[in-house]
Amino acid sequence: MMNANVEVVVVGGGYGGVTAANSLARRDGVSVTVVNPRPEFVERIRLHQLLTGSDDATVGFGEVLGRNVRVLVDTVTRIDAADRKVSLAGGSTVSYDYLVYAVGSGASDPDVPGAAEFAHWVSDLEGAERLKSALTATPASDPVTVVGAGPTGLETAAELAEAGRKVTLVCGDVLGPSLHPRGRRPVARRLAKLGVTILQGPGALVTEVTRDAVHLDDGRELPSAVTIWTAGFRVPDLATRSGLRTDTEGRLITDATLTSVDDERIVAAGDAAVMTDVPFRMSCQAAVQLGPAAAATILRRIAGKKPGPVRMFFAGQCLSLGRNEGVTQFSYPNDKVNALYINGRTGAGVKEIACRFTLNKLLSGARKASSRGGSTTHLENTSA
């Protein structure tokens, strides 16, 4: 039987954190506090649209979180597992009975001279807003270089090219490495139709970024008024700084129930953790499954029951290639891609449906959590 007033702190208000918070807030006797550095939810899968103004990629927490969820606008600087409390950048501390580690991921730290100084990124809201400002200040005829040909790079390159930008996509080894070889073909055709110059294969690795150029390892120098780095993601070092065990990339190590191998009171959801027995791809598709699973683990522990292992199912990858076309790459439930895909306008429609479905899932979770009571989402700005 649940004890009264169990305090759960959710660190991070992304897809994993929001779905975990709403699942927990539906239960009587559980109080939920979300700590997030910004006062709104970011639709990360729409950040490339922010660049051209087709979407602002944000939704108020009052819409996606249950009314009985408290939100602290601040950043957790350390987790004290022994005393069950977190320290905030604003100077205060928050105690917890259970903690959901959902800090997400951001742009990778490129080990390439000049990239950190001169390149922009689109993996978080602040980076995307700075990039949008840089593009606004740059003539449309000036060259733009996108480095990295994963989903973020492909969608960004297509979005900007459709808006009239002169775009070069530097793939490194291959275009769309996460796609099936058959699924890469319509992506390449669409990018070519939009006028994107694609550089891949030997010699297409970036060795240096300067203020107005990108240098490749075969000696080529690409003029670039705006350079966008989309190659890879990294996770915040909060777990490492807090003395919790992580892998070499800084992700919190958990068991198959998403529980930290160091502390059963800490449960993870999303990109910033790794299950040693069940690896998964960093993605929104994973996060919206991991959030409710993390909540289920905590609720079973509160009830004195043994939590079960997480089971994940994947359907594929949806890419928008501008507003008018897209490619949906299907996969097996274990996330291994297969040869099936949908492209063209239908592919774009499937991507839009996926984005709306994901947001509607959050809105539905908020409504279900709100049915337990409370007047409005309690938003507090405690940051310094």
Side-chain angles (χ1 to χ4, degrees):
M1 185 174 179
M2 292 189 182
N3 295 322
N5 198 33
V6 175
E7 299 285 348
V8 181
V9 169
V10 179
V11 185
Y15 294 100
V18 165
T19 52
N22 283 333
S23 296
L24 289 162
R26 293 173 61 183
R27 298 302 180 93
D28 290 331
V30 178
S31 297
V32 182
T33 298
V34 173
V35 183
N36 194 66
R38 57 186 71 85
E40 65 271 312
F41 172 78
V42 177
E43 280 193 273
R44 190 168 173 177
I45 54 179
R46 289 195 185 275
L47 280 174
H48 60 285
Q49 292 184 245
L50 183 150
L51 303 180
T52 57
S54 63
D55 200 284
D56 64 8
T58 59
V59 182
F61 274 132
E63 294 183 62
V64 298
L65 284 173
R67 290 194 300 265
N68 49 351
V69 176
R70 176 191 183 204
V71 179
L72 296 182
V73 182
D74 209 325
T75 300
V76 175
T77 57
R78 187 175 184 276
I79 300 167
D80 186 340
D83 289 341
R84 293 185 202 158
K85 65 181 180 181
V86 296
S87 299
L88 306 182
S92 59
T93 60
V94 181
S95 298
Y96 65 84
D97 295 305
Y98 289 90
L99 180 140
V100 178
Y101 189 79
V103 293
S105 62
S108 65
D109 186 9
D111 188 22
V112 172
E117 181 179 1
F118 297 112
H120 293 269
W121 60 90
V122 69
S123 56
D124 60 45
L125 180 63
E126 291 76 17
E129 288 176 337
R130 285 192 291 269
L131 172 55
K132 182 179 182 180
S133 296
L135 289 166
T136 300
T138 304
S141 59
D142 283 6
V144 174
T145 302
V146 177
V147 181
T152 303
L154 297 174
E155 292 191 319
T156 300
E159 201 79 20
L160 294 177
E162 190 180 68
R165 293 283 177 175
K166 181 182 177 182
V167 179
T168 297
L169 178 63
V170 181
C171 305
D173 184 32
V174 66
L175 175 80
S178 66
L179 304 176
H180 188 278
R182 287 188 61 182
R184 292 172 192 152
R185 297 171 192 168
V187 174
R189 288 196 299 267
R190 171 60 175 166
L191 291 175
K193 182 180 178 181
L194 290 171
V196 176
T197 299
I198 300 173
L199 303 179
Q200 61 180 320
L205 292 174
V206 176
T207 57
E208 184 182 8
V209 177
T210 61
R211 188 178 302 277
D212 55 8
V214 172
H215 299 261
L216 304 184
D217 63 352
D218 62 2
R220 280 178 289 180
E221 180 179 325
L222 310 176
S224 183
V226 179
T227 300
I228 306 167
W229 197 275
T230 71
F233 294 99
R234 64 171 175 80
V235 301
D237 64 352
L238 176 60
T240 303
R241 283 188 282 112
S242 301
L244 299 169
R245 269 184 282 181
T246 63
D247 68 359
T248 55
E249 297 178 5
R251 294 178 296 177
L252 180 72
I253 297 176
T254 77
D255 63 15
T257 71
L258 299 177
T259 304
S260 165
V261 294
D262 295 313
D263 190 330
E264 70 171 17
R265 298 279 181 152
I266 298 176
V267 180
D271 292 353
V274 58
M275 288 185 283
T276 52
D277 298 327
V278 190
F280 59 88
R281 173 171 51 91
M282 289 183 177
S283 64
C284 162
Q285 193 172 170
V288 295
Q289 298 179 68
L290 294 168
T297 290
I298 290 174
L299 292 172
R300 288 189 68 82
R301 284 219 168 88
I302 292 172
K305 300 178 181 179
K306 182 179 179 181
V310 174
R311 295 182 179 180
M312 302 184 68
F313 299 92
F314 293 87
Q317 302 171 37
C318 299
L319 301 176
S320 62
L321 300 174
R323 294 299 87 211
N324 299 315
E325 293 191 26
V327 170
T328 296
Q329 164 74 73
F330 292 101
S331 72
Y332 300 106
N334 65 358
D335 203 30
K336 181 179 179 180
V337 296
N338 56 44
L340 300 177
Y341 66 85
I342 298 172
N343 66 316
R345 287 187 176 274
T346 304
V350 172
K351 171 60 188 283
E352 182 61 24
I353 289 170
C355 289
R356 293 185 183 185
F357 175 81
T358 302
L359 179 58
N360 286 337
K361 189 180 181 73
L362 303 186
L363 298 174
S364 174
R367 288 193 295 269
K368 292 176 181 177
S370 297
S371 66
R372 212 192 84 192
S375 57
T376 185
T377 302
H378 187 189
L379 190 70
E380 299 177 27
N381 193 329
T382 61
S383 58

